[in-house]
């Protein structure tokens, strides 16, 4: 057989190609992204991974690395260091997490965090010291600046002395410092903090992964390539290397060369032939593309199971080449039927349509359009922790599967809820019956319809019930009721209910109690009108009270007399008023539910956290809870558990988490996955050195003994640990209630964690020791009976506690106390052991449970409830409720799942400890992919699923969601997702350069454009490539096309609102900087969502309002999402991750600036403000700004950059006024950016490169051209500083023949911008004038349709009327339809012409041959090279024909380029290292001091 294959192979080689062909090289496209900072040692990234996993792992890792001999830094190769680091880490984490660690290192997930610490060190001046490690000692609370992200040595709680160690783990210098600081921190002498700092870092950037690269096939209808010859810079970075692991036409050449080494040369030739013969695209007929999606599915299904993901990835990522072979694939009717049935299920249950893509990880949905690999990896880690935890506590594999299959999702993540079906609740509205909601859909299926993120669904069902339990007279309640009224007025889908928690005393009435008065007034108005008007009356009273105080009776009566003069005040507010109803009902409701600390707000019965019950956070708290509960409803509708015929309130109140009374709702669980360490004896000092999870393991597995009753039998579903001091009455009561509940239940057992107020060394603990001795000496039932008898007799219990009574005073109750008496002897070994145990329990309560000495807590199945307040009662009813809740939510489910598997597999489950631990751990890794194999989603999901499968060996189910018939090629791009499962090394042991995107076997004749698809918060730019990445045609290059990108910034996003009004402060400027450079970048707040974005990099940053008008009028009054240290007066933001960072700011106007506006028209009313600016030079700056012409333009691709340079030159040639050019940086090539400083110096102009990331909440465009069009119009209000009054946009392919200062001076007549209308004079083009017919003719109503090639914007007017926000709002609405906004940049302003007026510029300001006749050309002030749909003439040809001056401009620019290139060549010949030609400091939109506005 082998001989036959060799013969066949030889025949193929002889037939298919010649020796000459083999000498040609296959051309490829390669690219990669580097971070802006140098590589970070992998050992430090591992340390941060472990710190994220468990704080104690970090310090164990530091100890282990510091103990290595020889030191890690001295190991021979980088591979040896990597292996050693993984070996050490492998002792701390399980194998599955080690695989995740390898993937995290490949992604360099923690490199930003290491770099952040390096920046902190730099700010402290460490580089100037020249030390490899340094201890920074900060003494005194005013100097300590510790961030939440810092690593503090466990137990070092000395706030008066902080020592920060900067150094590199694995070096002798770091180890020396660590060995000195660790003992002192252990003794509490100092707070020991570690921050990474590497003195000497290699001159090599961090290579990134986790992003996609697309080569999109471009239309060649209009020729857009530059004819300038490009010289390669010789940096291919592996671009010519061929990936022989890639399968070509079914041949795997790497494997063939291994099998037939003697045929290596011929195999190379055969491979080359296949590459060349298979890399050209063949056009497909319409009927051939119809079933391509199904044909791709058929090929995937027919592949071996282990190859399915690889086949999916190959097809999706190389589809234009794969399509030719796919058309020959037969599709069976069975496959079509199966796909159809799946799609019907997807549509009904998940609202997925054919071609939609979805990724589910253990049931959690991920949107592949927005999810990034690092966020996905974090979820994987969380799920793996669950798996490993179950494995550690002894759950078998079969039992684990059953547990993981349990659905706890319908229980609101374990949050308890209160049954609100009570007559005490007064409902303000009813969404199902009130007429204002009649237009809403009544179908619950609307819940499954996709919506814009954060948007509430308008469904005419009572899904969300907001119940406010409060005394309306209290000032704390005012904002809550105001928001409730606002929810009603704005038709929020909330049913609002009130419970008036007013004085229940019968002596109180409307004349002596304000709360009762408000209740009576509400009832009166509600009866007279309706409940909403009753609520409105309450808020009107609040509106009349200007100061911060409670409502008085006088306030209520005065408004009643004003609003209802005919009403009898005595009848409404008197003692026997018929309107005084509901007080007893409210009192009963509050007592029944156990609500304390009023006011309380319940959403579907779930209490909102107390910290959101204020004016700043209430609205967001309600919306967040609605979003959380929406997923529960969606799941119920999807599973047909909730249908349109059901009563929604009954469905909600019948959920397992609904209780009649309140419980502590904190979600704190013990880490029960530790290991039992140490000897069997009680050694408190050794116990103190253990990690928290290992302390818990020792308590659970070695020291804890339990009470249980006669009816109890293992396994016990519930385990209560009672932390209490039995020397105190409150501790005795808590234990008594726990034991009484246990005795009557039979489902629980009780363990005792004694937590004495005073240490055993300082004061005797007779009753505590008696309890410990009874557990050790008696059987559990006898010990229970004894303790219950003692605790029920408080006289006996208190006597035993103070020593006035002894065991002899306790009735024996048929129990032999002799062994117990022996155990209580002070000089006995048992008593000494109990004393040590008492000390250990006390330390555990403080260090792990965070319960102070003497305080109480209850730990139920690992969930910590406490510490309880000194006045807080935890009664028998509370224990009963806790048991009922736990059994309903998870207890019965877990036990039944384990029992079922035990019966099947003979697994032993008679272990109550396992049940306790399982609850503390719950919820392997199950991945479901639903994808159309020839969609954009498939291009990304294929490689992600493949790497996860290789890394985690997870269970992946692939459902193919095909389109039945296609009318066009479904994919017109090639794609690579850059991701490796592990860091790669060379054979010599050096770390490889890193992953890159490599496109091989590519068609050479088609025109391609390269797009980078990076995470939402990455700002990347191309920094090195001589090639035109917008127009790649491989037949025009010698070898391959290589490009290099840089992660220039990580985006810091936020939302800003005014504290009083809740409105966004439009035009507010925010800055980001450091101590040494206070203003590094700045931004402007939009009105849309109060959104802002700032460009940052890893480090600690200071956020401020910009000096000038912003800081003069406003102050920041609150902020969320920052990392501000407790003693810092500045707002500190720490950037430490590749993931998104979002801030929320609230600002308020200063008391004396309430009347001022940021965007007021200073020119309209000169007064005091203008006098001040004039006095201090502000007016002079404005005059300078007025004298300057500001030109904005953008370009992508070498041809348009060539046009852009000529446009700039034409502007400069026709004006004597200073010019400043503003360019969108996002798409400029490295070549253009390198040349720009030289051109600026030559011609004496200023320039600035502006940059803005398309906001994630704004509908995304996928085609580069449409994205560029969007940047022309959508962000004009935030791209430029406030000091720029007018900006003129000029298309790159335009030539100016007039002084642009005329446009600056042109009066726009109150319009925010002026555009030139399209010419009508060239009549032969009438058939192409779409605006004169159909929609546009009707919409414009006689107005002209304007062209977007040239326009002038009055930025002050533009911002003042919120034109940018209106344009973005209209864009968001229209862009959902792919057929709208065909010419986005000009369709949008023309569509908005009735809302945002356009000033029509004189026709001569823009002439283009396509639309304007030849006679008008001589009057043209600018000439634009419009595309001609009739002739489709190439731009370059048209430029040389239409514009006589164009060639001269072009020649002048080329001469300058040659001089610059010649200078660089000479520098290189002299042996100098040329400094990379980067734009000046001003190129980035950093708004230097000259941009500051007063």
């Amino acid at each position: 057989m082998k001989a036959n294959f060799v013969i066949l192979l030889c025949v193929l080689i002889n037939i298919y190609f010649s020796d000459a062909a083999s000498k040609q090289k296959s051309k490829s496209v390669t690219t990669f992204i580097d971070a802006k900072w140098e590589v970070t040692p992998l050992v430090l990234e591992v340390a941060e991974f472990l710190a994220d996993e468990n704080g104690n792992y970090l310090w164990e890792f530091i100890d282990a690395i510091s103990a290595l001999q020889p030191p890690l830094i001295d190991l021979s190769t980088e591979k040896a260091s990597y292996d050693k680091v993984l070996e050490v880490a492998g002792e701390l984490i399980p194998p599955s997490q080690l695989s995740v660690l390898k993937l995290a290192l490949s992604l360099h997930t923690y490199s930003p965090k290491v770099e952040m610490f390096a920046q902190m060190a730099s700010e402290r001046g460490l580089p100037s010291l020249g030390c490899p490690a340094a201890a920074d000692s900060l003494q005194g609370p005013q100097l300590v600046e510790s961030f939440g992200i810092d690593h503090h040595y466990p137990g070092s709680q000395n706030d008066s002395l902080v020592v920060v160690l900067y150094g590199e783990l694995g070096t002798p210098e770091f180890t020396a410092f660590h060995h000195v600081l660790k003992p002192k921190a252990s003794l509490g002498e100092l707070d020991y903090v570690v921050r990474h700092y590497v003195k000497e870092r290699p001159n090599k950037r961090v290579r990134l992964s986790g992003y996609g690269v697309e080569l999109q096939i471009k239309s060649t209808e209009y020729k857009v390539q530059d004819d300038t010859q490009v010289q390669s810079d010789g940096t291919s970075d592996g671009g010519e290397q061929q990936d022989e692991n890639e399968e070509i036409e079914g041949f795997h050449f790497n494997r063939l060369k291994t099998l037939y080494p003697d045929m290596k040369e011929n195999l190379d030739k055969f491979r080359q032939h296949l590459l060349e013969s298979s890399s050209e695209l063949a056009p497909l007929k319409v009927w051939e593309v119809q079933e391509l999606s199904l044909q791709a599915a058929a090929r995937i299904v027919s592949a071996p199971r282990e190859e399915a993901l690889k086949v999916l990835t190959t097809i999706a990522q190389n589809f234009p080449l794969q399509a030719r072979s796919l058309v020959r694939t037969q599709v069976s009717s069975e496959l079509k039927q199966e796909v159809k049935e799946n799609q019907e299920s997807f549509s009904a249950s998940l609202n997925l349509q054919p071609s939609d893509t979805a990724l589910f990880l253990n049931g959690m949905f991920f949107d592949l359009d927005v999810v990034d690999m690092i966020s996905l990896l974090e979820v994987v880690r969380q799920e793996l922790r669950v798996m490993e935890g179950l494995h550690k506590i002894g759950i078998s594999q079969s039992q684990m599967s059953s547990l993981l299959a349990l659905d706890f999702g319908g229980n609101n993540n374990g949050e308890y809820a209160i049954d609100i079906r009570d007559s005490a609740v007064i409902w303000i509205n009813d969404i199902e019956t009130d007429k204002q909601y009649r237009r809403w859909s009544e179908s619950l299926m609307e819940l499954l319809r996709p919506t814009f993120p954060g948007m509430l669904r308008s469904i005419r069902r009572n899904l969300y019930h907001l119940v406010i339990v409060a005394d309306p007279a209290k000032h704390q309640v005012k904002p809550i009721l105001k928001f409730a009224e606002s929810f009603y007025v704005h038709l929020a889908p909330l049913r609002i209910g009130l419970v008036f928690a007013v004085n229940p005393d019968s002596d109180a009435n409307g004349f002596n109690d304000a709360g009762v008065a408000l209740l009576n007034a509400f009832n009166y108005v509600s009866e007279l009108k309706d409940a909403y008007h009753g609520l409105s009356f309450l808020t009107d009273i609040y509106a009349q009270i200007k100061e911060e105080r409670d409502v008085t009776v006088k306030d209520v009566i005065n408004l009643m007399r004003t609003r209802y003069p005919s009403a009898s005040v005595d009848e409404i507010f008197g003692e026997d008023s018929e309107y005084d109803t509901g007080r007893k009902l409210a009192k009963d409701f509050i007592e029944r539910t156990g609500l304390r600390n009023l006011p309380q707000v319940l959403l579907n019965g779930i209490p909102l956290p107390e910290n959101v019950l204020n004016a700043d956070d209430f609205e967001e708290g309600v919306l967040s809870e609605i979003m959380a509960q929406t997923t529960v409803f969606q799941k119920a509708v999807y599973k047909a558990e909730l249908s349109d015929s059901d009563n929604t309130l009954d469905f909600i109140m019948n959920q397992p988490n609904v209780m009649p009374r309140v419980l502590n709702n904190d979600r704190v669980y013990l880490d029960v996955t530790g290991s039992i360490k140490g000897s069997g004896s009680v050694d408190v000092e050794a116990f103190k050195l253990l990690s928290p999870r290992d302390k818990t393991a020792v308590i659970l597995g070695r020291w804890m003994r339990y009470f249980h009753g006669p009816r109890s039998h293992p396994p016990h579903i519930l385990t209560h640990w009672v932390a209490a001091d039995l020397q105190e009455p409150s501790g005795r009561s808590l234990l008594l209630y726990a034991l009484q509940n246990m005795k009557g239940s039979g489902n629980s057992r009780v363990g005792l964690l004694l937590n004495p107020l005073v240490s055993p060394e300082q004061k005797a603990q007779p009753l505590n020791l008696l309890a410990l001795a009874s557990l050790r000496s008696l059987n559990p039932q006898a010990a229970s009976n004894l303790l219950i008898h003692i605790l029920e007799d408080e006289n006996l219990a208190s006597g035993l506690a103070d020593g006035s009574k002894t065991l002899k005073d306790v009735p024996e109750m048929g129990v032999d106390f002799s062994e117990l008496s022996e155990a209580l002897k002070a000089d006995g070994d048992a008593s000494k052991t109990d004393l040590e145990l008492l000390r250990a329990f006390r330390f555990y309560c403080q260090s792990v449970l965070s319960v102070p000495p003497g305080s109480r807590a209850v730990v139920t199945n690992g969930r910590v409830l406490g510490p309880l307040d000194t006045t807080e009662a935890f009664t028998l009813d509370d224990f009963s409720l806790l048991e009922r809740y736990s059994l309903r939510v998870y207890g019965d489910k877990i036990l039944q799942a384990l029992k079922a598997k035990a019966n099947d597999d003979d697994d032993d489950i008679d272990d109550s400890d396992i049940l306790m631990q399982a609850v503390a751990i719950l919820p392997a890794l199950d991945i479901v992919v639903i994808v159309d194999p020839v969609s954009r989603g498939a291009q990304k999901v294929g490689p992600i699923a493949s790497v996860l499968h290789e890394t985690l060996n997870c269970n992946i189910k692939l459902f193919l969601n095909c389109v039945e018939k296609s009318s066009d090629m479904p994919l017109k791009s090639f794609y690579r997702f850059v991701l490796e499962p592990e860091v790669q090394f060379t054979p010599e042991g050096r770390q490889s350069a890193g992953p890159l995107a490599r496109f091989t076997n590519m068609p050479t004749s088609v025109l391609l454009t390269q797009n980078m698809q990076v995470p939402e918060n990455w700002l990347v730019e191309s920094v090195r490539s001589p090639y035109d990445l917008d127009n790649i045609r491989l037949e025009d290059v010698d070898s391959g096309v290589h490009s290099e990108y840089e992660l220039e910034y990580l985006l810091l996003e936020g939302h800003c609102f005014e504290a009083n009004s809740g409105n966004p402060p439009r035009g507010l400027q925010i800055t980001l900087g450091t101590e040494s450079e206070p203003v590094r970048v700045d931004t402007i707040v939009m009105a849309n969502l109060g959104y802002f974005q700032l460009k940052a990099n890893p480090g600690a940053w200071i956020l401020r309002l910009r000096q000038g008008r912003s800081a003069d009028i406003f102050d920041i009054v609150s902020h969320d999402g920052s990392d501000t240290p407790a003693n810092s007066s500045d707002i500190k933001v720490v950037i430490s991750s590749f993931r998104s960072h979002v801030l929320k700011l609230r600002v308020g106007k200063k008391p004396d600036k309430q009347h001022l506006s940021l965007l007021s028209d200073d020119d309209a009313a000169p007064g005091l403000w203008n006098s001040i600016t004039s006095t201090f030079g502000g007016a002079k700056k404005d005059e300078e700004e007025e004298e300057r012409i500001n030109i904005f333009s953008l370009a992508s691709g070498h041809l348009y950059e060539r046009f852009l340079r000529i446009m700039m030159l034409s502007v400069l040639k026709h004006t004597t006024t200073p010019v400043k050019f503003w360019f969108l940086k996002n798409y400029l090539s490295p070549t253009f950016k390198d040349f720009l400083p030289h051109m600026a110096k030559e011609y004496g102009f200023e320039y600035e490169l502006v940059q803005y990331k398309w906001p994630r909440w704004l509908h995304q465009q996928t085609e580069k051209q449409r994205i560029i069009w969007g940047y022309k119009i959508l962000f004009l209000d935030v791209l430029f500083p406030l000091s720029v009054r007018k900006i003129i946009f000029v298309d790159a392919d335009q030539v100016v023949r007039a002084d642009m200062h005329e446009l600056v001076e042109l009066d726009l007549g109150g319009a925010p911008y002026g555009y030139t209308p399209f010419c009508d004079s060239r009549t032969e083009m009438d058939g192409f004038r779409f605006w004169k017919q159909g929609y546009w003719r009707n919409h414009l109503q006689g107005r002209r349709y304007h062209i977007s090639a040239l326009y002038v914007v009055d930025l002050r007017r533009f911002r003042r009327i919120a034109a940018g926000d209106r344009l973005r709002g209209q864009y968001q609405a229209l862009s959902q339809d792919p057929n709208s906004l065909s010419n986005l940049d000009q369709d949008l302003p023309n569509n908005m012409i009735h809302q945002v007026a356009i000033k029509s510029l004189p026709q001569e300001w823009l002439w283009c041959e396509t639309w304007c006749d030849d006679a008008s050309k001589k009057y043209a002030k600018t000439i634009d090279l419009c595309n001609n749909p009739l002739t489709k003439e190439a731009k370059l040809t048209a430029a040389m024909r239409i514009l006589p001056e164009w060639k001269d401009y072009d020649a002048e620019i080329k001469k300058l380029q040659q001089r610059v290139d010649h200078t660089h060549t000479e520098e290189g010949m002299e042996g100098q290292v040329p400094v990379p030609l980067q734009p000046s400091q001003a190129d980035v939109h950093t708004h230097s001091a000259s941009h500051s506005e007063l």
Side-chain angles (χ1 to χ4, degrees), residues 1146-1160:
R1146 289 192 180 272
V1147 297
K1149 285 186 177 180
K1150 295 179 177 178
D1152 57 336
K1153 301 291 194 304
Q1154 295 293 325
H1155 62 288
L1156 293 179
S1157 169
L1158 280 170
L1159 302 176
S1160 62

Side-chain angles (χ1 to χ4, degrees), residues 1097-1211:
N1097 271 312
W1101 299 85
I1102 302 173
L1103 184 136
R1104 297 186 177 102
L1105 298 183
R1106 189 175 182 84
Q1107 289 302 308
R1109 198 168 177 85
S1110 294
D1112 289 341
I1113 296 177
F1114 284 94
D1115 287 321
I1116 297 176
V1117 296
S1118 68
H1119 48 91
D1120 293 327
S1122 73
D1123 301 83
T1124 305
N1127 56 347
S1128 174
S1129 58
D1130 294 315
I1131 298 175
K1132 295 290 182 70
V1133 182
V1134 169
I1135 304 296
S1136 62
S1137 168
F1138 286 121
R1139 298 175 66 184
S1140 297
H1141 195 127
V1142 180
L1143 295 174
K1144 181 184 175 185
L1145 298 180
R1146 289 192 180 272
V1147 297
K1149 285 186 177 180
K1150 295 179 177 178
D1152 57 336
K1153 301 291 194 304
Q1154 295 293 325
H1155 62 288
L1156 293 179
S1157 169
L1158 280 170
L1159 302 176
S1160 62
D1161 190 351
D1162 294 337
D1163 297 331
L1168 176 62
W1169 184 258
N1170 285 340
S1171 301
I1172 294 172
T1173 58
S1174 177
T1175 303
F1176 291 97
K1180 183 179 179 182
K1181 287 181 182 178
D1182 282 348
E1183 288 168 10
E1184 292 174 357
E1185 189 62 54
E1186 284 294 313
E1187 282 300 312
R1188 186 165 60 191
I1189 302 172
N1190 291 287
I1191 304 288
F1192 172 47
S1193 193
L1194 42 80
S1196 177
H1198 284 193
L1199 177 64
Y1200 276 87
E1201 289 176 349
R1202 182 177 174 185
F1203 284 137
L1204 183 59
R1205 288 189 284 265
I1206 290 168
M1207 181 274 287
M1208 295 163 61
L1209 189 56
S1210 70
V1211 170

Side-chain angles (χ1 to χ4, degrees), residues 1425-1493:
L1425 299 172
C1426 302
N1427 287 329
N1428 191 318
L1430 204 58
T1431 65
K1432 295 183 170 53
E1433 184 179 13
K1435 290 265 185 183
L1436 268 178
T1437 308
M1440 297 175 189
R1441 179 179 58 79
I1442 297 170
L1443 291 158
E1445 67 269 40
W1446 195 90
K1447 289 184 180 178
D1448 295 332
Y1449 288 152
D1450 192 37
E1452 187 173 335
I1453 295 292
K1454 284 183 176 177
K1455 284 182 182 178
L1456 176 60
Q1457 288 176 314
Q1458 289 168 0
R1459 290 209 316 268
V1460 172
D1461 293 341
H1462 181 67
T1463 304
H1464 291 164
T1465 304
E1466 286 184 345
E1467 288 176 354
M1469 291 176 65
E1470 291 172 6
Q1472 300 177 4
V1473 178
V1475 178
L1477 293 177
Q1478 293 296 338
S1480 63
Q1481 180 73 24
D1483 73 333
V1484 185
H1485 184 32
T1486 57
H1487 293 186
S1488 59
S1490 63
H1491 293 159
S1492 183
E1493 87 285 13

Side-chain angles (χ1 to χ4, degrees), residues 501-543:
V502 299
N503 188 349
D505 193 332
S506 59
D507 293 333
N509 59 55
F511 286 122
N512 60 25
D513 189 288
V516 177
L518 286 168
L519 170 63
N520 293 5
F522 173 87
N523 287 333
Y524 173 78
V525 177
S526 298
E527 185 178 304
L528 192 66
K529 295 183 176 180
D530 56 36
Y532 163 66
H533 284 90
L535 173 62
S536 181
F537 184 84
L538 302 186
T539 58
D540 288 345
I541 293 174
Y542 298 155

Side-chain angles (χ1 to χ4, degrees), residues 54 98 228 242 304 331 333 411 434 554 562 602 756 815 850 863 936 985 1126 1132 1188 1199 1217 1221 1310 1417 1481 1487:
N54 187 310
L98 196 63
T228 305
Q242 301 301 327
V331 182
S333 57
N411 304 325
D434 291 353
K554 184 179 179 181
T562 303
L602 314 174
V815 177
S850 300
R863 181 179 179 179
R936 294 174 67 90
F985 294 88
K1132 295 290 182 70
R1188 186 165 60 191
L1199 177 64
T1217 307
F1221 291 101
K1417 181 178 178 181
Q1481 180 73 24
H1487 293 186

Side-chain angles (χ1 to χ4, degrees), residues 34 303 339 449 479 587 650 733 790 796 837 840 1017 1047 1216 1419:
D34 280 346
V339 168
R449 189 180 300 278
K587 177 189 176 186
D650 287 342
S733 297
I790 292 172
L796 174 61
L837 200 56
N1017 62 317
L1047 174 61
T1216 57
Y1419 304 110

